[in-house]
Each structure stands twice: as C-alpha cells, then as structure tokens.
Amino acid sequence: MSPNLTLAIMAGVLFGCGVTLLLSRSLTRALIGVLLMSNGVNMAFLVAAGPAGLPPIIDKAEAAATRIGADGISDPLPQAMVLTAIVITLAVTGFVLALAHRQWQLASTDDVADDAEDTRLQELAESNDLSGSDYTDTADPHALADDEEDALPPDPVTMADHDQIVPEDLDPEGAR
C-alpha cells in the first residue's frame, strides 16, 4: 500500500499556493487562497485514505466479513471528513464574500488597509519607546506598589531578628 505520489505533491502545491494567496491584502485573493488550501487538505485526506476500493455500502450480513483496503471496501472515515470539510469551506466562502462585498461598498476596493493604531504601536515598538504606555518607571521592579497598602509585607525569613519569630507573628489572624 503505497500512497499516490502525484496526489500528495498536488496537495502540497495547492496548500502552498493557498497560503501565499491568503497572505495577500486583497480579500478576493485571500478567498481564493482559502479555497485552494481547502482543496489541498481534501486531497491530502484522500491520499491518506489509502488505495481505492469498493463503495463502503454494505448490509449487516456482509459487515463481519468485509475488509477495508485494496481488496475490500474503501475507508468511509476520510470520505466523511472530506464531506464535512466541503461544508465548512462553503460557510467560510460565504462569510469572506460578505466581508469582501462590504469592504467594496465602504472603500471601492477589497484591499484591507493598515489600521492606524496598529501602525502607531509598530512604530513605538521599533523605537522601543514607552511613552504611550501606562508603565513609566522601568528602574523600580515594584513601580505599581506606590502606596503603603500596595507594598508587599516584609518577608519574615529575611528579617534581622529571625530567631525571635513566633508562629503568631506569621499568622496574625489565626487563619490556621
């Protein structure tokens, strides 16, 4: 049982072309990329199913003696997975077509533009600038603990008089 090399290579080519198109800014190209990737995955399922066989339609009397493989019936599980993938691809296609249509109505193009906030954050990250951030003090590791009540309590183990610690000092509320 050797897989069909032509189908395996074709599945890889379809998936690779689909990924390339999916990375495009055009929603139409992205849709075609999703469709190519879906067809590549479906073809990979069929390659993984093994050799062709008889249709997997049998009655109860033949079920115990039927073999799955080259001399028997074909495996029905990959066929069911491909059928499910086709339905999911149809739903994704409808959704992306709706997005592309809405983008065309708003901007007369289906190209996705850069978000202004994402561009600003990218420029700040490239310059390592923290001016737009809430975190301003990079020198103090406890910069958020400004008030006395926010500060961490002293560690009883590192106290100078660690020989005089009694259990009541560690647990003042008696939560034990």
Side-chain angles (χ1 to χ4, degrees), residues 142-161:
H142 302 289
L144 298 177
D146 295 333
D147 300 334
E148 286 291 326
E149 64 268 4
D150 290 342
L152 295 173
D155 189 11
V157 177
T158 60
M159 293 172 55
D161 55 351

Side-chain angles (χ1 to χ4, degrees), residues 2-161:
S2 63
N4 190 340
L5 186 61
T6 307
L7 287 177
I9 290 174
M10 193 63 190
V13 167
L14 282 173
F15 199 83
C17 290
V19 167
T20 303
L21 286 172
L22 188 63
L23 295 175
S24 173
R25 288 199 173 268
S26 170
L27 286 175
T28 306
R29 288 184 184 166
L31 173 65
I32 294 171
V34 167
L35 293 175
L36 286 176
M37 286 174 53
S38 167
N39 289 330
V41 168
N42 291 345
M43 196 173 291
F45 277 145
L46 293 178
V47 169
L54 299 172
I57 301 173
I58 55 174
D59 58 0
K60 288 184 180 181
E62 298 175 1
T66 304
R67 288 184 25 181
I68 295 177
D71 298 332
I73 65 171
S74 60
D75 191 6
L77 182 63
Q79 295 176 15
M81 292 173 72
V82 167
L83 216 68
T84 305
I86 290 170
V87 172
I88 292 171
T89 302
L90 179 67
V92 169
T93 301
F95 179 68
V96 174
L97 280 175
L99 288 177
H101 180 67
R102 184 64 179 159
Q103 179 68 19
W104 181 263
Q105 284 180 337
L106 292 177
S108 296
T109 182
D110 69 338
D111 287 343
V112 178
D114 284 336
D115 186 30
E117 181 68 14
D118 286 342
T119 305
R120 185 184 73 81
L121 289 175
Q122 180 182 2
E123 290 170 357
L124 287 175
E126 287 174 355
S127 66
N128 202 15
D129 183 16
L130 293 174
S131 64
S133 173
D134 292 337
Y135 188 74
T136 56
D137 187 8
T138 58
D140 183 13
H142 302 289
L144 298 177
D146 295 333
D147 300 334
E148 286 291 326
E149 64 268 4
D150 290 342
L152 295 173
D155 189 11
V157 177
T158 60
M159 293 172 55
D161 55 351

Side-chain angles (χ1 to χ4, degrees), residues 165-174 176:
I165 295 177
V166 292
E168 290 80 23
D169 292 338
L170 295 175
D171 192 12
E173 282 84 36
R176 285 189 242 176

